[in-house]
Amino acid sequence: MSRYSSGNRAGTVVAIVADIMALILGLWILMYLLDANRANDLVQFVHNAANWLAGWSRDLFTFDKAWARVVAGYGLAAVVYLFVGHAIAGRLQRH
């Protein structure tokens, strides 16, 4: 059997997509903490993408500090995407 079976490729694709989603969320957390210029096109793109990806967890926590809400809300989404994405990728690669 070939090392690059369809299940292996599908699992790799799922893992890469999960990694990219988590990277975008992590990048937004970093940009927020470093007070990136929100008028910049790249910052706006990353912010919009992160808002869409973390729509379900963005306002889940009600910490007093805004930075803590951003880290917890977007960070939770990043961890969930990594965990679920790599779990699915692992299952696909076994088949």
Side-chain angles (χ1 to χ4, degrees):
M1 181 180 265
S2 172
R3 178 178 162 209
Y4 298 105
S5 66
S6 64
N8 197 1
R9 276 190 231 139
T12 301
V13 169
V14 169
I16 289 171
V17 169
D19 290 344
I20 290 170
M21 292 164 63
L23 177 70
I24 290 169
L25 291 162
L27 188 58
W28 170 243
I29 292 170
L30 183 64
M31 287 179 171
Y32 182 86
L33 292 175
L34 295 175
D35 199 25
N37 178 9
R38 298 209 183 160
N40 181 282
D41 289 337
L42 176 63
V43 175
Q44 286 179 359
F45 173 78
V46 171
H47 186 211
N48 290 337
N51 276 341
W52 184 78
L53 290 169
W56 60 272
S57 68
R58 190 175 56 227
D59 295 324
L60 193 61
F61 302 100
T62 58
F63 297 113
D64 290 336
K65 301 288 184 185
W67 67 267
R69 286 191 304 269
V70 168
V71 171
Y74 291 90
L76 174 66
V79 169
V80 168
Y81 288 133
L82 281 175
F83 179 76
V84 171
H86 283 268
I88 292 170
R91 296 275 292 165
L92 288 173
Q93 287 179 347
R94 277 187 245 141
H95 294 317

mmCIF file with all atom_site columns, all heavy atoms in Angstrom, residues 3-21 82 85-95:
data_model
loop_
_atom_site.group_PDB
_atom_site.id
_atom_site.type_symbol
_atom_site.label_atom_id
_atom_site.label_alt_id
_atom_site.label_comp_id
_atom_site.label_asym_id
_atom_site.label_entity_id
_atom_site.label_seq_id
_atom_site.pdbx_PDB_ins_code
_atom_site.Cartn_x
_atom_site.Cartn_y
_atom_site.Cartn_z
_atom_site.occupancy
_atom_site.B_iso_or_equiv
_atom_site.pdbx_formal_charge
_atom_site.auth_seq_id
_atom_site.auth_comp_id
_atom_site.auth_asym_id
_atom_site.auth_atom_id
_atom_site.pdbx_PDB_model_num
ATOM 1   N N   . ARG A 1 3  ? 2.375   4.878  0.728  1.00 0.00 ? 3  ARG A N   1
ATOM 2   C CA  . ARG A 1 3  ? 2.502   5.705  1.933  1.00 0.00 ? 3  ARG A CA  1
ATOM 3   C C   . ARG A 1 3  ? 1.532   6.881  1.893  1.00 0.00 ? 3  ARG A C   1
ATOM 4   O O   . ARG A 1 3  ? 1.109   7.385  2.912  1.00 0.00 ? 3  ARG A O   1
ATOM 5   C CB  . ARG A 1 3  ? 3.941   6.199  2.029  1.00 0.00 ? 3  ARG A CB  1
ATOM 6   C CG  . ARG A 1 3  ? 4.183   7.090  3.188  1.00 0.00 ? 3  ARG A CG  1
ATOM 7   C CD  . ARG A 1 3  ? 5.628   7.499  3.251  1.00 0.00 ? 3  ARG A CD  1
ATOM 8   N NE  . ARG A 1 3  ? 5.707   8.664  4.099  1.00 0.00 ? 3  ARG A NE  1
ATOM 9   C CZ  . ARG A 1 3  ? 6.590   9.610  4.012  1.00 0.00 ? 3  ARG A CZ  1
ATOM 10  N NH1 . ARG A 1 3  ? 7.512   9.537  3.093  1.00 0.00 ? 3  ARG A NH1 1
ATOM 11  N NH2 . ARG A 1 3  ? 6.584   10.623 4.815  1.00 0.00 ? 3  ARG A NH2 1
ATOM 12  N N   . TYR A 1 4  ? 1.207   7.346  0.716  1.00 0.00 ? 4  TYR A N   1
ATOM 13  C CA  . TYR A 1 4  ? 0.327   8.497  0.539  1.00 0.00 ? 4  TYR A CA  1
ATOM 14  C C   . TYR A 1 4  ? -1.070  8.055  0.120  1.00 0.00 ? 4  TYR A C   1
ATOM 15  O O   . TYR A 1 4  ? -1.569  8.408  -0.924 1.00 0.00 ? 4  TYR A O   1
ATOM 16  C CB  . TYR A 1 4  ? 0.909   9.456  -0.500 1.00 0.00 ? 4  TYR A CB  1
ATOM 17  C CG  . TYR A 1 4  ? 2.240   10.012 -0.067 1.00 0.00 ? 4  TYR A CG  1
ATOM 18  C CD1 . TYR A 1 4  ? 3.416   9.565  -0.639 1.00 0.00 ? 4  TYR A CD1 1
ATOM 19  C CD2 . TYR A 1 4  ? 2.306   10.964 0.935  1.00 0.00 ? 4  TYR A CD2 1
ATOM 20  C CE1 . TYR A 1 4  ? 4.638   10.064 -0.226 1.00 0.00 ? 4  TYR A CE1 1
ATOM 21  C CE2 . TYR A 1 4  ? 3.527   11.466 1.356  1.00 0.00 ? 4  TYR A CE2 1
ATOM 22  C CZ  . TYR A 1 4  ? 4.684   11.016 0.773  1.00 0.00 ? 4  TYR A CZ  1
ATOM 23  O OH  . TYR A 1 4  ? 5.890   11.510 1.188  1.00 0.00 ? 4  TYR A OH  1
ATOM 24  N N   . SER A 1 5  ? -1.713  7.271  0.955  1.00 0.00 ? 5  SER A N   1
ATOM 25  C CA  . SER A 1 5  ? -3.074  6.839  0.656  1.00 0.00 ? 5  SER A CA  1
ATOM 26  C C   . SER A 1 5  ? -4.028  8.012  0.808  1.00 0.00 ? 5  SER A C   1
ATOM 27  O O   . SER A 1 5  ? -3.695  9.038  1.387  1.00 0.00 ? 5  SER A O   1
ATOM 28  C CB  . SER A 1 5  ? -3.478  5.702  1.587  1.00 0.00 ? 5  SER A CB  1
ATOM 29  O OG  . SER A 1 5  ? -3.554  6.172  2.914  1.00 0.00 ? 5  SER A OG  1
ATOM 30  N N   . SER A 1 6  ? -5.241  7.851  0.306  1.00 0.00 ? 6  SER A N   1
ATOM 31  C CA  . SER A 1 6  ? -6.204  8.964  0.353  1.00 0.00 ? 6  SER A CA  1
ATOM 32  C C   . SER A 1 6  ? -6.557  9.351  1.781  1.00 0.00 ? 6  SER A C   1
ATOM 33  O O   . SER A 1 6  ? -6.749  10.518 2.089  1.00 0.00 ? 6  SER A O   1
ATOM 34  C CB  . SER A 1 6  ? -7.459  8.613  -0.435 1.00 0.00 ? 6  SER A CB  1
ATOM 35  O OG  . SER A 1 6  ? -8.113  7.513  0.166  1.00 0.00 ? 6  SER A OG  1
ATOM 36  N N   . GLY A 1 7  ? -6.642  8.392  2.697  1.00 0.00 ? 7  GLY A N   1
ATOM 37  C CA  . GLY A 1 7  ? -6.924  8.701  4.092  1.00 0.00 ? 7  GLY A CA  1
ATOM 38  C C   . GLY A 1 7  ? -5.800  9.497  4.710  1.00 0.00 ? 7  GLY A C   1
ATOM 39  O O   . GLY A 1 7  ? -6.026  10.417 5.490  1.00 0.00 ? 7  GLY A O   1
ATOM 40  N N   . ASN A 1 8  ? -4.573  9.165  4.366  1.00 0.00 ? 8  ASN A N   1
ATOM 41  C CA  . ASN A 1 8  ? -3.416  9.871  4.884  1.00 0.00 ? 8  ASN A CA  1
ATOM 42  C C   . ASN A 1 8  ? -3.407  11.320 4.398  1.00 0.00 ? 8  ASN A C   1
ATOM 43  O O   . ASN A 1 8  ? -3.154  12.229 5.163  1.00 0.00 ? 8  ASN A O   1
ATOM 44  C CB  . ASN A 1 8  ? -2.137  9.146  4.476  1.00 0.00 ? 8  ASN A CB  1
ATOM 45  C CG  . ASN A 1 8  ? -0.943  9.566  5.303  1.00 0.00 ? 8  ASN A CG  1
ATOM 46  O OD1 . ASN A 1 8  ? -1.057  10.378 6.203  1.00 0.00 ? 8  ASN A OD1 1
ATOM 47  N ND2 . ASN A 1 8  ? 0.196   8.997  4.978  1.00 0.00 ? 8  ASN A ND2 1
ATOM 48  N N   . ARG A 1 9  ? -3.708  11.515 3.115  1.00 0.00 ? 9  ARG A N   1
ATOM 49  C CA  . ARG A 1 9  ? -3.749  12.867 2.561  1.00 0.00 ? 9  ARG A CA  1
ATOM 50  C C   . ARG A 1 9  ? -4.887  13.671 3.168  1.00 0.00 ? 9  ARG A C   1
ATOM 51  O O   . ARG A 1 9  ? -4.713  14.837 3.480  1.00 0.00 ? 9  ARG A O   1
ATOM 52  C CB  . ARG A 1 9  ? -3.906  12.823 1.042  1.00 0.00 ? 9  ARG A CB  1
ATOM 53  C CG  . ARG A 1 9  ? -2.604  12.641 0.354  1.00 0.00 ? 9  ARG A CG  1
ATOM 54  C CD  . ARG A 1 9  ? -2.756  12.852 -1.130 1.00 0.00 ? 9  ARG A CD  1
ATOM 55  N NE  . ARG A 1 9  ? -2.154  11.669 -1.745 1.00 0.00 ? 9  ARG A NE  1
ATOM 56  C CZ  . ARG A 1 9  ? -2.630  11.035 -2.775 1.00 0.00 ? 9  ARG A CZ  1
ATOM 57  N NH1 . ARG A 1 9  ? -3.708  11.433 -3.367 1.00 0.00 ? 9  ARG A NH1 1
ATOM 58  N NH2 . ARG A 1 9  ? -2.009  9.986  -3.250 1.00 0.00 ? 9  ARG A NH2 1
ATOM 59  N N   . ALA A 1 10 ? -6.041  13.058 3.330  1.00 0.00 ? 10 ALA A N   1
ATOM 60  C CA  . ALA A 1 10 ? -7.186  13.762 3.908  1.00 0.00 ? 10 ALA A CA  1
ATOM 61  C C   . ALA A 1 10 ? -6.882  14.166 5.348  1.00 0.00 ? 10 ALA A C   1
ATOM 62  O O   . ALA A 1 10 ? -7.192  15.287 5.766  1.00 0.00 ? 10 ALA A O   1
ATOM 63  C CB  . ALA A 1 10 ? -8.428  12.882 3.846  1.00 0.00 ? 10 ALA A CB  1
ATOM 64  N N   . GLY A 1 11 ? -6.271  13.277 6.090  1.00 0.00 ? 11 GLY A N   1
ATOM 65  C CA  . GLY A 1 11 ? -5.896  13.601 7.461  1.00 0.00 ? 11 GLY A CA  1
ATOM 66  C C   . GLY A 1 11 ? -4.895  14.738 7.530  1.00 0.00 ? 11 GLY A C   1
ATOM 67  O O   . GLY A 1 11 ? -4.988  15.617 8.389  1.00 0.00 ? 11 GLY A O   1
ATOM 68  N N   . THR A 1 12 ? -3.948  14.731 6.605  1.00 0.00 ? 12 THR A N   1
ATOM 69  C CA  . THR A 1 12 ? -2.952  15.803 6.555  1.00 0.00 ? 12 THR A CA  1
ATOM 70  C C   . THR A 1 12 ? -3.615  17.139 6.239  1.00 0.00 ? 12 THR A C   1
ATOM 71  O O   . THR A 1 12 ? -3.293  18.158 6.857  1.00 0.00 ? 12 THR A O   1
ATOM 72  C CB  . THR A 1 12 ? -1.873  15.482 5.502  1.00 0.00 ? 12 THR A CB  1
ATOM 73  O OG1 . THR A 1 12 ? -1.256  14.240 5.862  1.00 0.00 ? 12 THR A OG1 1
ATOM 74  C CG2 . THR A 1 12 ? -0.825  16.568 5.437  1.00 0.00 ? 12 THR A CG2 1
ATOM 75  N N   . VAL A 1 13 ? -4.538  17.139 5.300  1.00 0.00 ? 13 VAL A N   1
ATOM 76  C CA  . VAL A 1 13 ? -5.244  18.368 4.939  1.00 0.00 ? 13 VAL A CA  1
ATOM 77  C C   . VAL A 1 13 ? -6.044  18.897 6.125  1.00 0.00 ? 13 VAL A C   1
ATOM 78  O O   . VAL A 1 13 ? -6.013  20.097 6.427  1.00 0.00 ? 13 VAL A O   1
ATOM 79  C CB  . VAL A 1 13 ? -6.152  18.149 3.708  1.00 0.00 ? 13 VAL A CB  1
ATOM 80  C CG1 . VAL A 1 13 ? -7.090  19.323 3.494  1.00 0.00 ? 13 VAL A CG1 1
ATOM 81  C CG2 . VAL A 1 13 ? -5.315  17.900 2.478  1.00 0.00 ? 13 VAL A CG2 1
ATOM 82  N N   . VAL A 1 14 ? -6.742  18.026 6.825  1.00 0.00 ? 14 VAL A N   1
ATOM 83  C CA  . VAL A 1 14 ? -7.532  18.439 7.987  1.00 0.00 ? 14 VAL A CA  1
ATOM 84  C C   . VAL A 1 14 ? -6.616  19.034 9.060  1.00 0.00 ? 14 VAL A C   1
ATOM 85  O O   . VAL A 1 14 ? -6.920  20.067 9.647  1.00 0.00 ? 14 VAL A O   1
ATOM 86  C CB  . VAL A 1 14 ? -8.361  17.257 8.544  1.00 0.00 ? 14 VAL A CB  1
ATOM 87  C CG1 . VAL A 1 14 ? -8.958  17.595 9.898  1.00 0.00 ? 14 VAL A CG1 1
ATOM 88  C CG2 . VAL A 1 14 ? -9.453  16.877 7.565  1.00 0.00 ? 14 VAL A CG2 1
ATOM 89  N N   . ALA A 1 15 ? -5.479  18.394 9.299  1.00 0.00 ? 15 ALA A N   1
ATOM 90  C CA  . ALA A 1 15 ? -4.542  18.899 10.302 1.00 0.00 ? 15 ALA A CA  1
ATOM 91  C C   . ALA A 1 15 ? -3.980  20.262 9.905  1.00 0.00 ? 15 ALA A C   1
ATOM 92  O O   . ALA A 1 15 ? -3.860  21.167 10.747 1.00 0.00 ? 15 ALA A O   1
ATOM 93  C CB  . ALA A 1 15 ? -3.407  17.904 10.514 1.00 0.00 ? 15 ALA A CB  1
ATOM 94  N N   . ILE A 1 16 ? -3.670  20.441 8.633  1.00 0.00 ? 16 ILE A N   1
ATOM 95  C CA  . ILE A 1 16 ? -3.139  21.722 8.166  1.00 0.00 ? 16 ILE A CA  1
ATOM 96  C C   . ILE A 1 16 ? -4.186  22.821 8.299  1.00 0.00 ? 16 ILE A C   1
ATOM 97  O O   . ILE A 1 16 ? -3.879  23.936 8.729  1.00 0.00 ? 16 ILE A O   1
ATOM 98  C CB  . ILE A 1 16 ? -2.619  21.603 6.719  1.00 0.00 ? 16 ILE A CB  1
ATOM 99  C CG1 . ILE A 1 16 ? -1.341  20.763 6.704  1.00 0.00 ? 16 ILE A CG1 1
ATOM 100 C CG2 . ILE A 1 16 ? -2.373  22.970 6.098  1.00 0.00 ? 16 ILE A CG2 1
ATOM 101 C CD1 . ILE A 1 16 ? -0.851  20.396 5.322  1.00 0.00 ? 16 ILE A CD1 1
ATOM 102 N N   . VAL A 1 17 ? -5.429  22.521 7.944  1.00 0.00 ? 17 VAL A N   1
ATOM 103 C CA  . VAL A 1 17 ? -6.501  23.516 8.073  1.00 0.00 ? 17 VAL A CA  1
ATOM 104 C C   . VAL A 1 17 ? -6.690  23.908 9.538  1.00 0.00 ? 17 VAL A C   1
ATOM 105 O O   . VAL A 1 17 ? -6.823  25.092 9.864  1.00 0.00 ? 17 VAL A O   1
ATOM 106 C CB  . VAL A 1 17 ? -7.815  22.991 7.443  1.00 0.00 ? 17 VAL A CB  1
ATOM 107 C CG1 . VAL A 1 17 ? -8.996  23.877 7.806  1.00 0.00 ? 17 VAL A CG1 1
ATOM 108 C CG2 . VAL A 1 17 ? -7.680  22.887 5.937  1.00 0.00 ? 17 VAL A CG2 1
ATOM 109 N N   . ALA A 1 18 ? -6.680  22.933 10.428 1.00 0.00 ? 18 ALA A N   1
ATOM 110 C CA  . ALA A 1 18 ? -6.812  23.219 11.865 1.00 0.00 ? 18 ALA A CA  1
ATOM 111 C C   . ALA A 1 18 ? -5.652  24.082 12.349 1.00 0.00 ? 18 ALA A C   1
ATOM 112 O O   . ALA A 1 18 ? -5.853  25.025 13.129 1.00 0.00 ? 18 ALA A O   1
ATOM 113 C CB  . ALA A 1 18 ? -6.882  21.922 12.659 1.00 0.00 ? 18 ALA A CB  1
ATOM 114 N N   . ASP A 1 19 ? -4.447  23.785 11.876 1.00 0.00 ? 19 ASP A N   1
ATOM 115 C CA  . ASP A 1 19 ? -3.276  24.572 12.261 1.00 0.00 ? 19 ASP A CA  1
ATOM 116 C C   . ASP A 1 19 ? -3.387  26.014 11.772 1.00 0.00 ? 19 ASP A C   1
ATOM 117 O O   . ASP A 1 19 ? -3.043  26.955 12.502 1.00 0.00 ? 19 ASP A O   1
ATOM 118 C CB  . ASP A 1 19 ? -1.998  23.946 11.707 1.00 0.00 ? 19 ASP A CB  1
ATOM 119 C CG  . ASP A 1 19 ? -1.635  22.631 12.380 1.00 0.00 ? 19 ASP A CG  1
ATOM 120 O OD1 . ASP A 1 19 ? -2.190  22.341 13.471 1.00 0.00 ? 19 ASP A OD1 1
ATOM 121 O OD2 . ASP A 1 19 ? -0.811  21.894 11.813 1.00 0.00 ? 19 ASP A OD2 1
ATOM 122 N N   . ILE A 1 20 ? -3.857  26.194 10.549 1.00 0.00 ? 20 ILE A N   1
ATOM 123 C CA  . ILE A 1 20 ? -4.004  27.547 10.001 1.00 0.00 ? 20 ILE A CA  1
ATOM 124 C C   . ILE A 1 20 ? -5.060  28.331 10.777 1.00 0.00 ? 20 ILE A C   1
ATOM 125 O O   . ILE A 1 20 ? -4.865  29.515 11.080 1.00 0.00 ? 20 ILE A O   1
ATOM 126 C CB  . ILE A 1 20 ? -4.346  27.488 8.493  1.00 0.00 ? 20 ILE A CB  1
ATOM 127 C CG1 . ILE A 1 20 ? -3.127  26.988 7.713  1.00 0.00 ? 20 ILE A CG1 1
ATOM 128 C CG2 . ILE A 1 20 ? -4.796  28.844 7.970  1.00 0.00 ? 20 ILE A CG2 1
ATOM 129 C CD1 . ILE A 1 20 ? -3.397  26.661 6.268  1.00 0.00 ? 20 ILE A CD1 1
ATOM 130 N N   . MET A 1 21 ? -6.158  27.678 11.119 1.00 0.00 ? 21 MET A N   1
ATOM 131 C CA  . MET A 1 21 ? -7.198  28.347 11.900 1.00 0.00 ? 21 MET A CA  1
ATOM 132 C C   . MET A 1 21 ? -6.652  28.784 13.259 1.00 0.00 ? 21 MET A C   1
ATOM 133 O O   . MET A 1 21 ? -6.873  29.925 13.693 1.00 0.00 ? 21 MET A O   1
ATOM 134 C CB  . MET A 1 21 ? -8.405  27.424 12.058 1.00 0.00 ? 21 MET A CB  1
ATOM 135 C CG  . MET A 1 21 ? -9.131  27.181 10.748 1.00 0.00 ? 21 MET A CG  1
ATOM 136 S SD  . MET A 1 21 ? -10.261 25.776 10.763 1.00 0.00 ? 21 MET A SD  1
ATOM 137 C CE  . MET A 1 21 ? -11.448 26.237 11.956 1.00 0.00 ? 21 MET A CE  1
ATOM 138 N N   . LEU A 1 82 ? -7.464  23.090 17.247 1.00 0.00 ? 82 LEU A N   1
ATOM 139 C CA  . LEU A 1 82 ? -6.300  22.203 17.195 1.00 0.00 ? 82 LEU A CA  1
ATOM 140 C C   . LEU A 1 82 ? -6.651  20.800 17.678 1.00 0.00 ? 82 LEU A C   1
ATOM 141 O O   . LEU A 1 82 ? -6.317  19.812 17.032 1.00 0.00 ? 82 LEU A O   1
ATOM 142 C CB  . LEU A 1 82 ? -5.160  22.770 18.042 1.00 0.00 ? 82 LEU A CB  1
ATOM 143 C CG  . LEU A 1 82 ? -4.348  23.878 17.416 1.00 0.00 ? 82 LEU A CG  1
ATOM 144 C CD1 . LEU A 1 82 ? -3.340  24.429 18.419 1.00 0.00 ? 82 LEU A CD1 1
ATOM 145 C CD2 . LEU A 1 82 ? -3.634  23.393 16.162 1.00 0.00 ? 82 LEU A CD2 1
ATOM 146 N N   . GLY A 1 85 ? -9.378  19.217 15.252 1.00 0.00 ? 85 GLY A N   1
ATOM 147 C CA  . GLY A 1 85 ? -8.796  19.006 13.926 1.00 0.00 ? 85 GLY A CA  1
ATOM 148 C C   . GLY A 1 85 ? -7.792  17.881 13.902 1.00 0.00 ? 85 GLY A C   1
ATOM 149 O O   . GLY A 1 85 ? -7.802  17.036 13.004 1.00 0.00 ? 85 GLY A O   1
ATOM 150 N N   . HIS A 1 86 ? -6.933  17.838 14.909 1.00 0.00 ? 86 HIS A N   1
ATOM 151 C CA  . HIS A 1 86 ? -5.922  16.773 14.931 1.00 0.00 ? 86 HIS A CA  1
ATOM 152 C C   . HIS A 1 86 ? -6.530  15.427 15.330 1.00 0.00 ? 86 HIS A C   1
ATOM 153 O O   . HIS A 1 86 ? -6.035  14.379 14.899 1.00 0.00 ? 86 HIS A O   1
ATOM 154 C CB  . HIS A 1 86 ? -4.754  17.174 15.830 1.00 0.00 ? 86 HIS A CB  1
ATOM 155 C CG  . HIS A 1 86 ? -3.849  18.163 15.166 1.00 0.00 ? 86 HIS A CG  1
ATOM 156 N ND1 . HIS A 1 86 ? -2.748  17.791 14.439 1.00 0.00 ? 86 HIS A ND1 1
ATOM 157 C CD2 . HIS A 1 86 ? -3.911  19.519 15.066 1.00 0.00 ? 86 HIS A CD2 1
ATOM 158 C CE1 . HIS A 1 86 ? -2.163  18.863 13.943 1.00 0.00 ? 86 HIS A CE1 1
ATOM 159 N NE2 . HIS A 1 86 ? -2.856  19.928 14.314 1.00 0.00 ? 86 HIS A NE2 1
ATOM 160 N N   . ALA A 1 87 ? -7.591  15.444 16.118 1.00 0.00 ? 87 ALA A N   1
ATOM 161 C CA  . ALA A 1 87 ? -8.279  14.186 16.432 1.00 0.00 ? 87 ALA A CA  1
ATOM 162 C C   . ALA A 1 87 ? -8.927  13.614 15.176 1.00 0.00 ? 87 ALA A C   1
ATOM 163 O O   . ALA A 1 87 ? -8.814  12.409 14.904 1.00 0.00 ? 87 ALA A O   1
ATOM 164 C CB  . ALA A 1 87 ? -9.336  14.421 17.516 1.00 0.00 ? 87 ALA A CB  1
ATOM 165 N N   . ILE A 1 88 ? -9.574  14.460 14.407 1.00 0.00 ? 88 ILE A N   1
ATOM 166 C CA  . ILE A 1 88 ? -10.181 14.012 13.144 1.00 0.00 ? 88 ILE A CA  1
ATOM 167 C C   . ILE A 1 88 ? -9.102  13.546 12.177 1.00 0.00 ? 88 ILE A C   1
ATOM 168 O O   . ILE A 1 88 ? -9.238  12.512 11.512 1.00 0.00 ? 88 ILE A O   1
ATOM 169 C CB  . ILE A 1 88 ? -11.047 15.127 12.519 1.00 0.00 ? 88 ILE A CB  1
ATOM 170 C CG1 . ILE A 1 88 ? -12.277 15.380 13.389 1.00 0.00 ? 88 ILE A CG1 1
ATOM 171 C CG2 . ILE A 1 88 ? -11.457 14.778 11.098 1.00 0.00 ? 88 ILE A CG2 1
ATOM 172 C CD1 . ILE A 1 88 ? -13.076 16.614 13.001 1.00 0.00 ? 88 ILE A CD1 1
ATOM 173 N N   . ALA A 1 89 ? -8.011  14.299 12.095 1.00 0.00 ? 89 ALA A N   1
ATOM 174 C CA  . ALA A 1 89 ? -6.900  13.917 11.196 1.00 0.00 ? 89 ALA A CA  1
ATOM 175 C C   . ALA A 1 89 ? -6.340  12.560 11.596 1.00 0.00 ? 89 ALA A C   1
ATOM 176 O O   . ALA A 1 89 ? -6.041  11.734 10.724 1.00 0.00 ? 89 ALA A O   1
ATOM 177 C CB  . ALA A 1 89 ? -5.815  14.993 11.225 1.00 0.00 ? 89 ALA A CB  1
ATOM 178 N N   . GLY A 1 90 ? -6.200  12.311 12.878 1.00 0.00 ? 90 GLY A N   1
ATOM 179 C CA  . GLY A 1 90 ? -5.695  11.023 13.335 1.00 0.00 ? 90 GLY A CA  1
ATOM 180 C C   . GLY A 1 90 ? -6.608  9.883  12.949 1.00 0.00 ? 90 GLY A C   1
ATOM 181 O O   . GLY A 1 90 ? -6.156  8.806  12.536 1.00 0.00 ? 90 GLY A O   1
ATOM 182 N N   . ARG A 1 91 ? -7.912  10.107 13.074 1.00 0.00 ? 91 ARG A N   1
ATOM 183 C CA  . ARG A 1 91 ? -8.881  9.065  12.693 1.00 0.00 ? 91 ARG A CA  1
ATOM 184 C C   . ARG A 1 91 ? -8.834  8.813  11.186 1.00 0.00 ? 91 ARG A C   1
ATOM 185 O O   . ARG A 1 91 ? -8.902  7.665  10.739 1.00 0.00 ? 91 ARG A O   1
ATOM 186 C CB  . ARG A 1 91 ? -10.304 9.470  13.080 1.00 0.00 ? 91 ARG A CB  1
ATOM 187 C CG  . ARG A 1 91 ? -10.544 9.620  14.553 1.00 0.00 ? 91 ARG A CG  1
ATOM 188 C CD  . ARG A 1 91 ? -10.872 8.356  15.228 1.00 0.00 ? 91 ARG A CD  1
ATOM 189 N NE  . ARG A 1 91 ? -12.193 7.892  14.784 1.00 0.00 ? 91 ARG A NE  1
ATOM 190 C CZ  . ARG A 1 91 ? -12.614 6.670  14.993 1.00 0.00 ? 91 ARG A CZ  1
ATOM 191 N NH1 . ARG A 1 91 ? -11.846 5.815  15.607 1.00 0.00 ? 91 ARG A NH1 1
ATOM 192 N NH2 . ARG A 1 91 ? -13.799 6.297  14.584 1.00 0.00 ? 91 ARG A NH2 1
ATOM 193 N N   . LEU A 1 92 ? -8.699  9.876  10.395 1.00 0.00 ? 92 LEU A N   1
ATOM 194 C CA  . LEU A 1 92 ? -8.644  9.717  8.942  1.00 0.00 ? 92 LEU A CA  1
ATOM 195 C C   . LEU A 1 92 ? -7.365  9.002  8.513  1.00 0.00 ? 92 LEU A C   1
ATOM 196 O O   . LEU A 1 92 ? -7.382  8.218  7.561  1.00 0.00 ? 92 LEU A O   1
ATOM 197 C CB  . LEU A 1 92 ? -8.728  11.070 8.255  1.00 0.00 ? 92 LEU A CB  1
ATOM 198 C CG  . LEU A 1 92 ? -10.078 11.768 8.290  1.00 0.00 ? 92 LEU A CG  1
ATOM 199 C CD1 . LEU A 1 92 ? -9.970  13.177 7.720  1.00 0.00 ? 92 LEU A CD1 1
ATOM 200 C CD2 . LEU A 1 92 ? -11.111 10.968 7.514  1.00 0.00 ? 92 LEU A CD2 1
ATOM 201 N N   . GLN A 1 93 ? -6.284  9.249  9.205  1.00 0.00 ? 93 GLN A N   1
ATOM 202 C CA  . GLN A 1 93 ? -5.012  8.640  8.808  1.00 0.00 ? 93 GLN A CA  1
ATOM 203 C C   . GLN A 1 93 ? -4.962  7.159  9.173  1.00 0.00 ? 93 GLN A C   1
ATOM 204 O O   . GLN A 1 93 ? -4.206  6.411  8.570  1.00 0.00 ? 93 GLN A O   1
ATOM 205 C CB  . GLN A 1 93 ? -3.846  9.390  9.446  1.00 0.00 ? 93 GLN A CB  1
ATOM 206 C CG  . GLN A 1 93 ? -3.629  10.743 8.788  1.00 0.00 ? 93 GLN A CG  1
ATOM 207 C CD  . GLN A 1 93 ? -2.493  11.516 9.402  1.00 0.00 ? 93 GLN A CD  1
ATOM 208 O OE1 . GLN A 1 93 ? -1.989  11.181 10.465 1.00 0.00 ? 93 GLN A OE1 1
ATOM 209 N NE2 . GLN A 1 93 ? -2.100  12.574 8.731  1.00 0.00 ? 93 GLN A NE2 1
ATOM 210 N N   . ARG A 1 94 ? -5.773  6.733  10.129 1.00 0.00 ? 94 ARG A N   1
ATOM 211 C CA  . ARG A 1 94 ? -5.797  5.308  10.482 1.00 0.00 ? 94 ARG A CA  1
ATOM 212 C C   . ARG A 1 94 ? -6.578  4.487  9.485  1.00 0.00 ? 94 ARG A C   1
ATOM 213 O O   . ARG A 1 94 ? -6.462  3.281  9.443  1.00 0.00 ? 94 ARG A O   1
ATOM 214 C CB  . ARG A 1 94 ? -6.404  5.128  11.874 1.00 0.00 ? 94 ARG A CB  1
ATOM 215 C CG  . ARG A 1 94 ? -5.356  5.370  12.948 1.00 0.00 ? 94 ARG A CG  1
ATOM 216 C CD  . ARG A 1 94 ? -5.901  5.035  14.299 1.00 0.00 ? 94 ARG A CD  1
ATOM 217 N NE  . ARG A 1 94 ? -5.924  6.311  15.001 1.00 0.00 ? 94 ARG A NE  1
ATOM 218 C CZ  . ARG A 1 94 ? -6.871  6.718  15.812 1.00 0.00 ? 94 ARG A CZ  1
ATOM 219 N NH1 . ARG A 1 94 ? -7.898  5.958  16.067 1.00 0.00 ? 94 ARG A NH1 1
ATOM 220 N NH2 . ARG A 1 94 ? -6.810  7.872  16.409 1.00 0.00 ? 94 ARG A NH2 1
ATOM 221 N N   . HIS A 1 95 ? -7.416  5.125  8.695  1.00 0.00 ? 95 HIS A N   1
ATOM 222 C CA  . HIS A 1 95 ? -8.265  4.371  7.753  1.00 0.00 ? 95 HIS A CA  1
ATOM 223 C C   . HIS A 1 95 ? -7.712  4.404  6.367  1.00 0.00 ? 95 HIS A C   1
ATOM 224 O O   . HIS A 1 95 ? -7.061  5.086  5.844  1.00 0.00 ? 95 HIS A O   1
ATOM 225 C CB  . HIS A 1 95 ? -9.684  4.911  7.747  1.00 0.00 ? 95 HIS A CB  1
ATOM 226 C CG  . HIS A 1 95 ? -10.389 4.691  9.044  1.00 0.00 ? 95 HIS A CG  1
ATOM 227 N ND1 . HIS A 1 95 ? -10.332 3.521  9.738  1.00 0.00 ? 95 HIS A ND1 1
ATOM 228 C CD2 . HIS A 1 95 ? -11.168 5.500  9.780  1.00 0.00 ? 95 HIS A CD2 1
ATOM 229 C CE1 . HIS A 1 95 ? -11.050 3.608  10.828 1.00 0.00 ? 95 HIS A CE1 1
ATOM 230 N NE2 . HIS A 1 95 ? -11.561 4.813  10.877 1.00 0.00 ? 95 HIS A NE2 1
#
